Amino acid sequence: MRRLLVAAAAAGTGFLLLCTLAYAMEHPGTGSVLRLAWCAAPTAATVYFAVAVARTDPGTRPRAGLSAVGLGPARLMVLAAISTAVACTLGSLVALLVFLHLRGDLSGLPFDGAAAELLAADRPLPLAAALTLLTVVPLTASAASAAALRPRPATSSGAENPGEPAAPAPAPSGLPWGVALLAAGLAVETYASGKANGTGLPVPGGADGNPAGVLAGWALTALGLALAGPGLTYLCGRLLQAARPGAVRLLAGRVLQEEARRIGRPLGVLCAVASGAYASGVLYAGPRTGIGPLTALGALLVAGCAVLTLATAAVEARQSRADTTAALLRLGAPATMLRGSAALRAGALTAVFAPLTWVVAELAALPLGR
């Protein structure tokens, strides 16, 4: 199911890239380059989701006996990259078939030719350019999956002596950089909005008049949230263990500290997408603008991939602590304690990230509404 979702995301992104090609065929010039640049966000979201799925694939985890038959960590990395490329290629082929069908290249124009003008049905399709665009997602996703699953030297994260309890995981180092980028993005966006003169980069959907500085500040703000996510998650774990914690709070805090890097960044990305969605609502408000079908598809891809990536990271975290959970149950820990710890972790993350997302969304949307 996860591989099919990756294929679906790749199909949506491939269709957007092909629609950009069709627009370039009808309107050659700078506008075509800008539309291609707007496809970077769905492409990055799709690749990020594909990497998260590759990390949770049970076949990519080294197991005893596989090295003896030639399936060591390096071979498993190659297999994960190949499976990711296959899933993304399947999605790209589906996108090509749908695109050709809507253009009428396969069996006549469907829907009474409603998509003929949008997809440049009156012009011959440059097949080489179309295939080149469709290879962007499979190649990028497979390379990113191989980089994420490359064999690393073993490092000892626990205690040096067998009789000593484990030390908590070290704090992620990205929180100061994330806060700095977040503040810089808001400052750049506010400054650029004061210099607006009615012209700017054309945003898909017909929203014009926003200078490049506003959009650059928006991108810096999103990057800052993504970088600050692991540090904030680790901080949630520290706060849960403060002031004489009981067993449930201690377990919840330690789990958040251990999983700060795994779930913190997808959670930060989701917060960035949520704040961007709120800012987009302000940007597209009013009778002067409207959201077209391709803009809606791009937004759906980015939001859907962000949610699915966080869910996949949660599955990966649960898989990584399966042995610890089984050991606690063997020692007699009640299942209610484990459920209470999970609920406490979810509540702590919501209490920290929800207000932060709302504040950032309000500050980011303020200049866009001018």
Side-chain angles (χ1 to χ4, degrees):
M1 179 59 68
R2 291 194 293 264
R3 293 293 183 185
L4 288 177
L5 290 174
V6 170
T13 304
F15 185 78
L16 285 179
L17 291 171
L18 291 176
C19 290
T20 303
L21 175 62
Y23 182 85
M25 293 162 54
E26 290 283 354
H27 310 86
T30 308
S32 303
V33 178
L34 291 177
R35 283 181 173 262
L36 184 62
W38 281 113
C39 295
T43 302
T46 302
V47 171
Y48 194 43
F49 175 49
V51 172
V53 170
R55 289 172 59 93
T56 58
D57 190 350
T60 62
R61 293 196 299 269
R63 293 185 297 274
L66 289 182
S67 298
V69 295
L71 290 177
R75 291 289 182 88
L76 292 178
M77 175 197 69
V78 173
L79 290 178
I82 292 175
S83 61
T84 301
V86 169
C88 293
T89 302
L90 176 62
S92 298
L93 291 178
V94 172
L96 180 61
L97 291 177
V98 172
F99 182 79
L100 294 177
H101 176 66
L102 293 178
R103 276 175 48 92
D105 295 335
L106 298 180
S107 58
L109 285 173
F111 308 114
D112 296 329
E117 183 178 357
L118 181 64
L119 304 181
D122 57 336
R123 294 177 178 268
L125 178 67
L127 190 58
L131 294 179
T132 301
L133 288 177
L134 289 178
T135 58
V136 170
V137 174
L139 291 180
T140 307
S142 59
S145 300
L149 296 173
R150 69 186 185 276
R152 295 178 176 87
T155 57
S156 58
S157 58
E160 295 183 359
N161 298 325
E164 296 179 359
S173 58
L175 183 57
W177 290 103
V179 174
L181 284 176
L182 181 61
L186 293 174
V188 168
E189 187 177 355
T190 303
Y191 176 80
S193 65
K195 301 294 183 179
N197 55 3
T199 61
L201 295 179
V203 179
D208 299 327
N210 293 285
V214 173
L215 304 177
W218 193 359
L220 285 177
T221 301
L223 182 60
L225 280 174
L227 288 179
L232 291 175
T233 304
Y234 190 91
L235 182 61
C236 289
R238 289 288 299 272
L239 293 177
L240 284 178
Q241 299 176 77
R244 296 182 179 180
V248 177
R249 280 204 295 141
L250 184 61
L251 179 61
R254 285 296 179 92
V255 169
L256 281 182
Q257 286 181 317
E258 292 291 335
E259 298 174 355
R261 292 174 174 81
R262 183 177 289 116
I263 66 173
R265 185 158 288 115
L267 189 56
V269 171
L270 182 61
C271 292
V273 171
S275 62
Y278 182 86
S280 299
V282 175
L283 180 64
Y284 288 105
R288 65 183 180 90
T289 58
I291 298 180
L294 298 182
T295 305
L297 176 59
L300 181 62
L301 281 172
V302 172
C305 288
V307 173
L308 291 174
T309 301
L310 180 58
T312 305
V315 171
E316 182 187 7
R318 187 180 62 181
Q319 292 175 350
S320 66
R321 64 174 186 271
D323 294 338
T324 303
T325 303
L328 289 175
L329 292 176
R330 286 195 304 267
L331 291 174
T336 55
M337 186 186 75
L338 299 179
R339 290 193 294 267
S341 174
L344 192 58
R345 294 196 303 270
L349 292 176
T350 303
V352 171
F353 281 92
L356 175 65
T357 304
W358 180 78
V359 171
V360 172
E362 287 286 349
L363 292 177
L366 186 61
L368 296 177
R370 295 180 181 178

